[in-house]
Amino acid sequence: MPGENLSRDEAQERAALLSVDGYDVSLDLRSAVGDAPATEPRTFRSVTTIRFRCADPGATSFADLIAPSVTAVSLNGKDLDPSEVFDGTRIQLEDLAAENELVVDAQCAYSRTGEGLHRFVDPEDGEVYLYTQYEPADSRRVFANFEQPDLKAPFRFEVRAPEGWTVWSNGPGELHDGVWLFGETKPISTYITAVVAGPYHYVTDTYSRTFDDGTTLGIPLGAMCRKGLAKHFDADDVFLVTKQGLDFFHDHFDYPYPFGKYDQAFVPEYNLGAMENPGLVTFREEFIFRGKVTQASYERRANVILHEMAHMWFGDLVTMVWWDDLWLKESFADFMGSFSLVEATRFTDGWITFANNRKAWAYRADQLPSTHPVTADIRDLEDAKLNFDGITYAKGASVLKQLVAYVGREAFLEGARRYFKRNAYGNTRLGDLLSVLAETSGRDMAAWARSWLQTAGVNSLTPQVLLGTDGRIAELSVLQEASESHPELRPHRVAVGLYRREAGALVRYARAEADVHGPRTLVGELAGAEAPELVLVNDDDLTYCKIRFDETSLAALKEGLGQITDPLARALSWSALWNMTRDALLPAREFIDLVLRFSGRESDIGVLQMLHTWANSALTHYAAPEWRETGGRLLAEGALSELRQAEPGSQHQLTWARFFAAVASDEADLRLLRGLLEGTEKIDGLDVDQELRWAFLEPMAARGAAEESVLAAELARDDTASGKRHQVRCLAARPSAAVKAQAWAQVVESDTLSNALVEATIAGFVQSSQRELLVPYAAKYFAAIERVWHERSIQIAMDVVRGLFPSLQDSQGTLDATDAWLAAHESAPPALRRLVLEARDDLARTLRGQACDAGAAR
């Protein structure tokens, strides 16, 4: 990534100097089809005209462009020599006038990494599909521009495409004499412009709304996917959630959707979940389900649809000045996604998913050495790329959930309404939002922001109960702790719930809300209550904290966690126990035992799926090595028992089938999987569709029970893009030194694989049952990562550095090797060091967890 980074200081200097009046971008994509060029890369013509002003005539600046070659550059009618002004990433601009016009004619490269203009060839029918993905700074791979969020401008696109194709962009377009012409956009940032082109399957609908003043709004809706996925595309459900979301945001934001049409494109080989391009949102096509999935999958898709829709206001209409305030869009979208999901759709238990799933992501990120305040210090674009993390999304959303409890729902929403109206089509910083929230709530938002937005780390809250001689509560306190590295004790608005057994169930019989301040807070309202068996701090999930338990409560959970009747309280208890396992306060084998005893009673399918993930992680990382085989057998036997007992055809049966495949280990397990694939074994109600077939094949391949010929036959059965990804993962999973060497070479020593196949190969390469086979790759990893970082795109480099870290070589020796690399590479790019430091922290946590678990055996 040499020369591609842009610093905050450079961006600030350029923003002070320049203002942009508009872009005209002409792309010729006819080269996307046909024979490959004799020499790579395959390119397309990109001609960009930028009209901009300069506050200091005579000054020097630069435009951004990452392209193999530039044919011509002109500034204010004067031709410039491309070899003199273009260095591969920037175009030098000297002696600027008060008003300027820059024209750049370039050959830009199609992408295979999901960055820029991605080109995908469908193996099923040979069709070519294109789409763009830019955040944070890859529009410069497609057209010349000023690549920073605060230099907004209107855009006009025109696109020449192969005959028979359709082209979409942010605004409506029409085909005239072989050229797709798109109307001028509102002022938007470069990173949310978009183009999608190809023979996509396209479905349309319309949203209409009449407002209280009698005015009406009509929004054309569209949804698209590859033709090969059309038979699986449930566009009606996508449109249903879309309309419900538009109703919700119009009801609460008092600002009509500002970008005309609303297309949603489900595209192949996508690196992200989705991207909020105004008028043309892009999603990973895995949200189109090829087989049977649970309601959790539909809920996840609905949440993402609503998250991206919230961005139309938080992020697109009003955009952060620089990536320091990324939270101004991502935290809000993450919160509003769940908020609208619960209140506007059929997924009324969305806050349970948020508490159990999204916050787990935040808790992990907030305990890494790279944790940062929600408002982060983003020095450059590499920093920005890594800060699309659990802090910016899930912790920020959790903080906003607490803010709603702190200032009140209506004050929060009125603040949002004023924020949109004052800053429409502009850029903002933290202070802009705080000022309107202070107005609407009457609260001191600066003090709140200092505690919650400008400090890092997660607090732990533990109940302390003193009983009187009458057996009732004499005093109940909440104890607050913080880590040594991040000692801030924050104000928390919490609910404290008291639970006891009634008719064989653990039910809440008392609840009090309290404002927690400092290390110890009395909850006077609960004095005199009957003695509880379980005290749940942060009941109802009002704040962001790690929940701890007193001894009595922990004992009650170990005896009867499955007896908690409230699904949110149960989910919070599971989450707290998982955090204790990660923190080496609860042995992994005890957590696994709890999952085996109580997860079969879990009614919420999303929680059950998370428990399966955590149990597998506990076995892989935190269980003592000498107990792993025993723990693995217990999980496989428990999963198979639950699978056979589950209601035939239910989503619980499907979930247990997938988990059984994930933990299958001995010959009997593998024979059953093979029998289910071949039809010689049956489990009543279990439909082994194509996606489930691949889920069964991966563990078989990893255990040596599915050779290359078997996987080739399965690909012939499922000769699709999805099938190819599955096959590549299974091929890399086989337990052979030659297979591992080939997979390593394909990912680390070559750049021929697409981003999706890199991801699949890494997933197959790393198998917890193959620790000894992977030993040689620890040293190879440390020898390669700096070269990979400099030679590959940042997305692929991140995938390699994260995915191939030798976490399965969980020993002090690997920890020492990591420390040695860090000591010897102090001048390595900060973003690379951050990834290695995070992996080191995970490994150190693994070793502490294993020591805790080994202690439980003594």
Side-chain angles (χ1 to χ4, degrees):
M1 298 162 278
E4 296 180 14
N5 212 355
L6 174 72
S7 73
R8 177 176 52 203
D9 291 344
E10 290 175 313
Q12 289 174 342
E13 181 179 340
R14 187 163 62 177
L17 185 66
L18 306 182
S19 54
V20 187
D21 296 315
Y23 288 83
D24 290 311
V25 180
S26 176
L27 305 176
D28 189 342
L29 306 181
R30 290 173 292 184
S31 59
V33 299
D35 295 336
T39 58
E40 292 293 340
R42 184 188 289 258
T43 61
F44 59 92
R45 188 182 182 193
S46 169
V47 181
T48 306
T49 301
I50 313 176
R51 297 173 300 281
F52 64 100
R53 285 165 284 135
C54 176
D56 182 15
T60 296
S61 190
F62 63 92
D64 301 296
L65 177 68
I66 299 175
S69 65
V70 170
T71 306
V73 179
S74 70
L75 178 63
N76 298 328
K78 178 182 178 181
D79 291 336
L80 306 179
D81 185 344
S83 65
E84 294 181 0
V85 298
F86 178 61
D87 65 2
T89 61
R90 295 181 178 184
I91 300 169
Q92 192 70 14
L93 305 175
E94 298 181 349
D95 193 23
L96 292 171
E99 295 185 358
N100 302 273
E101 182 176 273
L102 173 68
V103 181
V104 179
D105 188 344
Q107 289 294 316
C108 295
Y110 294 102
S111 168
R112 298 199 71 211
T113 66
E115 301 152 294
L117 179 60
H118 189 80
R119 178 179 180 271
F120 173 78
V121 181
D122 192 333
E124 189 172 0
D125 55 18
E127 296 280 18
V128 176
Y129 294 89
L130 305 178
Y131 65 87
T132 57
Q133 171 55 38
Y134 296 150
E135 191 174 38
D138 285 318
S139 64
R140 56 193 169 145
R141 298 180 185 275
V142 178
F143 59 93
N145 58 54
F146 300 116
E147 186 81 283
Q148 57 192 80
D150 57 342
L151 288 178
K152 284 185 164 183
F155 288 81
R156 286 197 299 254
F157 284 90
E158 66 171 48
V159 180
R160 290 165 176 81
E163 187 176 352
W165 277 25
T166 305
V167 182
W168 294 265
S169 188
N170 301 91
E174 294 183 353
L175 182 61
H176 290 280
D177 298 325
V179 181
W180 288 88
L181 302 177
F182 295 91
E184 186 173 77
T185 71
K186 299 288 188 178
I188 57 176
S189 301
T190 54
Y191 76 91
I192 51 176
T193 59
V195 171
V196 172
Y200 283 89
H201 169 72
Y202 184 59
V203 186
T204 61
D205 202 338
T206 303
Y207 169 84
S208 59
R209 171 79 180 218
T210 300
F211 296 102
D212 292 341
D213 62 2
T215 60
T216 60
L217 175 68
I219 301 174
L221 305 179
M224 69 196 80
C225 67
R226 290 185 295 112
K227 290 192 294 185
L229 286 174
K231 61 186 176 183
H232 304 293
F233 193 20
D234 53 340
D236 287 348
D237 192 51
V238 171
F239 288 139
L240 172 64
V241 173
T242 301
K243 293 175 183 179
Q244 290 170 332
L246 288 168
D247 273 340
F248 179 87
F249 292 124
H250 283 132
D251 286 342
H252 292 87
F253 286 171
D254 192 30
Y255 197 107
Y257 171 70
F259 297 110
K261 70 180 182 70
Y262 201 85
D263 281 324
Q264 297 175 94
F266 294 80
V267 297
E269 299 192 321
Y270 203 54
N271 288 322
L272 311 177
M275 182 64 206
E276 68 266 20
N277 316 303
L280 182 55
V281 181
T282 41
F283 298 82
R284 63 187 302 119
E285 68 178 16
E286 285 78 3
F287 284 125
I288 298 174
F289 307 121
R290 298 197 316 148
K292 183 178 179 180
V293 297
T294 68
Q295 281 301 303
S297 295
Y298 289 102
E299 179 185 323
R300 169 65 176 151
R301 183 176 69 184
N303 185 284
V304 174
I305 289 171
L306 297 169
H307 174 116
E308 303 309 321
M309 188 180 293
H311 274 309
M312 300 299 121
W313 290 267
F314 285 108
D316 295 357
L317 177 66
V318 185
T319 312
M320 68 274 156
V321 170
W322 177 249
W323 302 100
D324 292 346
D325 282 314
L326 176 62
W327 81 281
L328 280 173
K329 72 183 191 77
E330 293 302 347
S331 298
F332 274 87
D334 217 47
F335 170 73
M336 294 305 302
S338 293
F339 187 26
S340 56
L341 182 80
V342 171
E343 300 213 354
T345 77
R346 65 187 184 272
F347 303 106
T348 54
D349 288 335
W351 287 124
I352 297 175
T353 305
F354 182 82
N356 192 248
N357 187 313
R358 297 299 281 179
K359 291 180 83 169
W361 181 28
Y363 293 140
R364 176 188 176 271
D366 213 6
Q367 295 173 88
L368 290 170
S370 58
T371 187
H372 55 85
V374 175
T375 54
D377 179 24
I378 304 298
R379 298 160 296 187
D380 53 35
L381 289 177
E382 288 190 5
D383 276 359
K385 183 74 173 179
L386 267 64
N387 263 44
F388 289 83
D389 61 9
I391 304 294
T392 302
Y393 284 72
K395 180 180 179 179
S398 303
V399 168
L400 291 176
K401 191 168 185 277
Q402 163 133 332
L403 176 62
V404 173
Y406 177 63
V407 303
R409 173 188 172 119
E410 184 51 36
F412 174 81
L413 290 170
E414 177 59 25
R417 291 189 279 266
R418 295 185 190 184
Y419 178 71
F420 299 143
K421 290 171 182 175
R422 291 180 189 177
N423 301 290
Y425 305 109
N427 296 85
T428 59
R429 296 181 173 87
L430 168 64
D432 298 302
L433 179 67
L434 295 183
S435 64
V436 294
L437 288 173
E439 289 175 17
T440 59
S441 69
R443 297 270 194 166
D444 179 3
M445 296 309 303
W448 176 86
R450 280 193 298 273
S451 291
W452 281 105
L453 300 180
Q454 296 168 334
T455 60
V458 56
N459 300 137
S460 298
L461 301 183
T462 307
Q464 184 181 69
V465 181
L466 298 178
L467 299 179
T469 56
D470 58 357
R472 292 179 173 270
I473 294 176
E475 183 177 282
L476 191 153
S477 304
V478 176
L479 308 181
Q480 180 177 193
E481 296 178 291
S483 66
E484 292 183 6
S485 57
H486 299 286
E488 177 82 10
L489 296 180
R490 299 183 179 88
H492 296 265
R493 182 68 178 176
V494 301
V496 179
L498 305 184
Y499 290 75
R500 66 187 175 199
R501 279 184 177 79
E502 295 180 3
L506 268 174
V507 297
R508 188 171 71 190
Y509 65 93
R511 176 188 184 275
E513 290 193 16
D515 291 313
V516 172
H517 293 278
R520 183 172 181 269
T521 301
L522 281 173
V523 186
E525 190 176 334
L526 294 175
E530 292 183 14
E533 294 182 60
L534 167 66
V535 181
L536 184 58
V537 175
N538 198 30
D539 207 354
D540 298 324
D541 198 36
L542 299 185
T543 193
Y544 171 81
C545 71
K546 288 196 293 186
I547 299 170
R548 300 300 197 209
F549 301 106
D550 61 345
E551 290 185 8
T552 301
S553 297
L554 185 58
L557 289 174
K558 289 181 178 180
E559 183 180 340
L561 193 159
Q563 297 169 354
I564 298 175
T565 54
D566 180 73
L568 178 56
R570 202 166 56 243
L572 290 169
S573 298
W574 278 117
S575 177
L577 292 167
W578 174 240
N579 278 321
M580 291 175 64
T581 306
R582 293 188 72 248
D583 291 345
L585 298 175
L586 181 71
R589 66 188 66 193
E590 292 190 18
F591 182 81
I592 289 171
D593 176 65
L594 288 166
V595 171
L596 289 170
R597 288 194 290 124
F598 298 125
S599 64
R601 306 182 195 180
E602 182 52 58
S603 59
D604 188 287
I605 198 67
V607 172
L608 179 61
Q609 290 171 345
M610 204 68 197
L611 291 177
H612 289 167
T613 298
W614 289 342
N616 208 352
S617 182
L619 179 69
T620 301
H621 298 294
Y622 303 124
E626 60 272 16
W627 188 78
R628 277 194 204 119
E629 185 175 353
T630 299
R633 284 305 321 140
L634 290 172
L635 279 178
E637 291 167 4
L640 182 56
S641 175
E642 293 290 350
L643 169 59
R644 294 194 184 280
Q645 294 177 60
E647 180 185 347
S650 67
Q651 58 182 349
H652 282 71
Q653 184 188 56
L654 176 61
T655 299
W656 282 109
R658 288 184 170 277
F659 183 54
F660 171 66
V663 296
S665 58
D666 68 8
E667 287 299 320
D669 296 340
L670 299 175
R671 280 197 303 271
L672 175 57
L673 292 177
R674 183 182 296 108
L676 290 169
L677 284 173
E678 295 174 353
T680 58
E681 294 276 1
K682 296 285 186 182
I683 294 177
D684 186 26
L686 184 65
D687 178 18
V688 185
D689 60 24
Q690 189 59 63
E691 286 297 294
L692 195 55
R693 290 181 66 85
W694 285 115
F696 288 175
L697 276 166
E698 182 177 352
M700 292 174 61
R703 298 284 181 173
E707 292 300 321
E708 185 173 1
S709 60
V710 174
L711 301 176
E714 196 66 28
L715 180 62
R717 176 191 176 104
D718 183 26
D719 192 11
T720 64
S722 299
K724 182 62 177 177
R725 289 195 300 272
H726 287 308
Q727 187 220 20
V728 165
R729 186 177 66 253
C730 291
L731 286 171
R734 292 171 296 157
S736 156
V739 164
K740 298 304 177 185
Q742 181 184 38
W744 179 272
Q746 288 173 332
V747 169
V748 178
E749 308 301 336
S750 169
D751 64 354
T752 58
L753 294 181
S754 70
N755 57 320
L757 296 186
V758 166
E759 180 183 350
T761 303
I762 290 174
F765 180 88
V766 180
Q767 295 289 327
S768 60
S769 62
Q770 299 170 358
R771 294 171 192 267
E772 292 185 7
L773 201 57
L774 299 178
V775 167
Y777 294 96
K780 291 181 180 181
Y781 172 88
F782 291 113
I785 54 175
E786 190 167 29
R787 171 180 57 80
V788 167
W789 191 264
H790 288 295
E791 292 178 356
R792 310 291 281 278
S793 75
I794 190 169
Q795 181 63 51
I796 298 299
M798 287 167 57
D799 289 344
V800 170
V801 174
R802 279 178 172 150
L804 293 178
F805 181 84
S807 59
L808 294 176
Q809 273 58 68
D810 43 7
S811 67
Q812 186 62 43
T814 305
L815 199 65
D816 292 342
T818 309
D819 289 337
W821 186 91
L822 289 165
H825 295 81
E826 292 185 357
S827 60
L832 171 59
R833 284 181 56 84
R834 169 178 169 168
L835 292 177
V836 176
L837 281 165
E838 289 177 349
R840 183 212 181 275
D841 189 76
D842 281 338
L843 179 57
R845 184 179 289 272
T846 289
L847 296 179
R848 292 193 298 271
Q850 290 177 5
C852 171
D853 191 59
R858 291 195 285 269

